[in-house]
């Protein structure tokens, strides 16, 4: 294959894909100042509903009862946890529990802590 053929094909693809979008937008809403976005919806607004739980639909854990790792009956060595350390006080909040509650309001010593977790990404703070 010729060395110049691949870059030429890439440039052609980019030019054709960009020009189609610009032409379509301009034809839909032409003005002297350029394209204008439409406020018109493609489906009726009243047909759009919220798919998530309502306010307080996922209850937070308040002041959870804690145990040591050695005494935890539902904690295995391979479980994922969200950890928090304040001085010598170390906490581990299991993903399997956070999947259902997403928020833990806890007190570590004299510090109030909100542990928040996203089950979609598996991340927390």
């Amino acid at each position: 294959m010729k060395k110049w053929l691949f870059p030429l094909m890439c440039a052609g693809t980019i030019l054709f894909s960009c020009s189609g979008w610009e032409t379509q937008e301009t034809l839909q809403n032409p003005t002297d100042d350029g394209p204008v976005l439409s406020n018109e919806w493609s489906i009726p607004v009243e047909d759009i509903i919220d798919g998530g739980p309502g306010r307080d639909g996922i209850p937070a854990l308040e002041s959870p009862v804690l145990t040591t790792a050695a005494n935890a009956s539902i904690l295995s060595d391979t479980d994922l946890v969200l950890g928090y350390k304040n001085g010598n006080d170390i906490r581990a909040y299991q993903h399997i529990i956070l999947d259902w509650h997403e928020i833990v309001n806890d007190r570590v010593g004299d510090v109030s802590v909100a542990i928040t977790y996203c089950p979609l990404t598996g991340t927390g703070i």
Side-chain angles (χ1 to χ4, degrees):
M1 183 181 228
K2 303 276 187 197
K3 289 182 180 181
W4 55 267
L5 187 56
F6 182 71
L8 182 62
M9 289 172 41
C10 290
T13 302
I14 292 170
L15 286 173
F16 284 116
S17 64
C18 292
S19 66
W21 176 81
E22 185 177 312
T23 303
Q24 182 181 14
E25 186 72 23
T26 303
L27 289 176
Q28 287 179 356
N29 301 300
T31 68
D32 292 340
D33 297 330
V36 176
L37 296 178
S38 173
N39 289 333
E40 202 170 305
W41 288 65
S42 60
I43 58 173
V45 174
E46 60 272 5
D47 288 347
I48 299 172
I49 58 173
D50 184 0
R55 183 182 175 111
D56 296 327
I58 301 172
L61 289 177
E62 302 284 339
S63 304
V65 177
L66 303 175
T67 187
T68 63
N71 293 332
S73 60
I74 60 170
L75 180 65
S76 69
D77 291 341
T78 58
D79 284 348
L80 295 174
V81 298
L82 185 60
Y84 178 81
K85 180 180 185 292
N86 182 16
N88 291 329
D89 198 340
I90 302 170
R91 311 274 173 111
Y93 304 92
Q94 292 173 268
H95 280 213
I96 195 168
I97 303 295
L98 293 171
D99 281 338
W100 290 98
H101 293 279
E102 299 183 15
I103 299 172
V104 178
N105 293 319
D106 202 356
R107 190 150 186 88
V108 181
D110 59 350
V111 178
S112 294
V113 179
I115 304 297
T116 60
Y117 174 77
C118 175
L120 297 176
T121 61
T123 58
I125 56 171

